[in-house]
Amino acid sequence: TAVEEILATIWQEVLKVDPIGIHDNFFELGGDSILSIQIVTKARQAGLQLTVNQLFAHQTIAELAAVAGTTKVIQIAQELVTGKVHLTPIQQRFFELKWVEPHHFNQSFLFTTPSHFQPELLSPIWGHLLKHHDALRLRFTQSESGWEQIHATPNEKIAYSYFDLSSLPESEISATIENTANSLQASLNLASNLVQIAYFKLGENQLGRLLIVIHHLVVDGVSWRILLEDLLTAYQQLSQNQAIQLPPKTTSFQDWAQHLKEYARYAYGTLTRTEILKSELAYWLSKSDSNVSSLPVDYPAGENTVASASNISVSLNEAETQALLQEVPKAYKTQINDVLLTALVLVLSRWTNSNSVLFNLEGHGREDIIEGVDLSRTVGWFTTLF
């Protein structure tokens, strides 16, 4: 059917699998919870109303096509968002950790750009993105009652830097970019600026470099996909002399934070949700640290720093990757994260000679738990930790 064709095209694009049959299982093809968000977003852009919960309940294209369009269209305000925002649990945890340098806790990407790239378009593009994605304008200040966040109003000044390295010897370019990037990353300030953009020109008809630095308090892994897709869309539109036209906003980070606060105290039957959630605390806190041996270290009195870290990279070929993402989950009726978790537990258990391992897991945090909320295109730090 027409709906099945649309869904098949989207699945092929997101899962990088071709061909896909209408009875193939999403998770057996390597799908996961984060990819499901991308599926839902692209489906809505194609005019199909879906939710992540529907994808989890109807895991084939044939099943999903039968329920597509049955969800209620959510009306979301498109105006500029300003004003105070409640701290979300993950943001509260960040400030409770009392980092020595809380301003410098960011995520960044350094991209190679084609020789015909037009860096002069970056400033108007980011001006538009800062208005569209409200979380990028968050500012944090500390008061007597604790840390607070507020949406700043957009202004004309974009934290954008242009560096012409054309005259530098090739042997110095890499170190210059790295040193400049380090300086820009260290320049973030919670009260005034959480985003830095820089373009490095390496010469005429040469590939350039684009650096994007954003504080983790306002961005996460899913947010980066949204931002980079919008950056590309806006660049293509401006370079073709078109006005920037991005897909509609989804639920604002401000509204999500408010919904979370209300979710914790929402009345459910004779019990408030606060009482229900408190009753579940024992389950989450039952695995005491005292039952688990600490990881062995060479120097018990030493201190681990990023500077002392070593990286070991191992790659899987295409056949191994396909087996891991598709054949293993299909055989064991599970998802890829369970397989990776099992491998990690086995390694740590053998290394520590212990039957118990305790570590934190992160989730994307965009669970479909509140009616009338759509976070599929919302930028912010949504991560859950458990």
Side-chain angles (χ1 to χ4, degrees), residues 31 73 180 188 257 259 291:
V73 177
T180 306
L188 297 184
H259 282 307
N291 297 331

Side-chain angles (χ1 to χ4, degrees), residues 121 130 202 230 234 265:
L121 300 182
L130 286 172
L202 306 188
D230 283 358
R265 62 171 184 249

Side-chain angles (χ1 to χ4, degrees), residues 38-100:
Q38 292 180 256
I39 297 285
V40 168
T41 302
K42 290 182 181 296
R44 286 175 179 167
Q45 291 172 358
L48 298 179
Q49 290 299 317
L50 289 174
T51 67
V52 171
N53 282 353
Q54 283 179 317
L55 181 51
F56 272 71
H58 308 279
Q59 298 177 8
T60 68
I61 288 173
E63 294 173 358
L64 199 57
V67 299
T70 61
T71 58
K72 184 180 178 182
V73 177
I74 303 171
Q75 300 298 326
I76 296 169
Q78 299 296 303
E79 293 82 22
L80 188 72
V81 177
T82 58
K84 290 187 67 173
V85 185
H86 294 294
L87 289 178
T88 59
I90 194 69
Q91 290 177 318
Q92 290 180 37
R93 179 182 182 273
F94 170 79
F95 289 113
E96 288 167 1
L97 291 173
K98 294 187 169 77
W99 293 112
V100 177

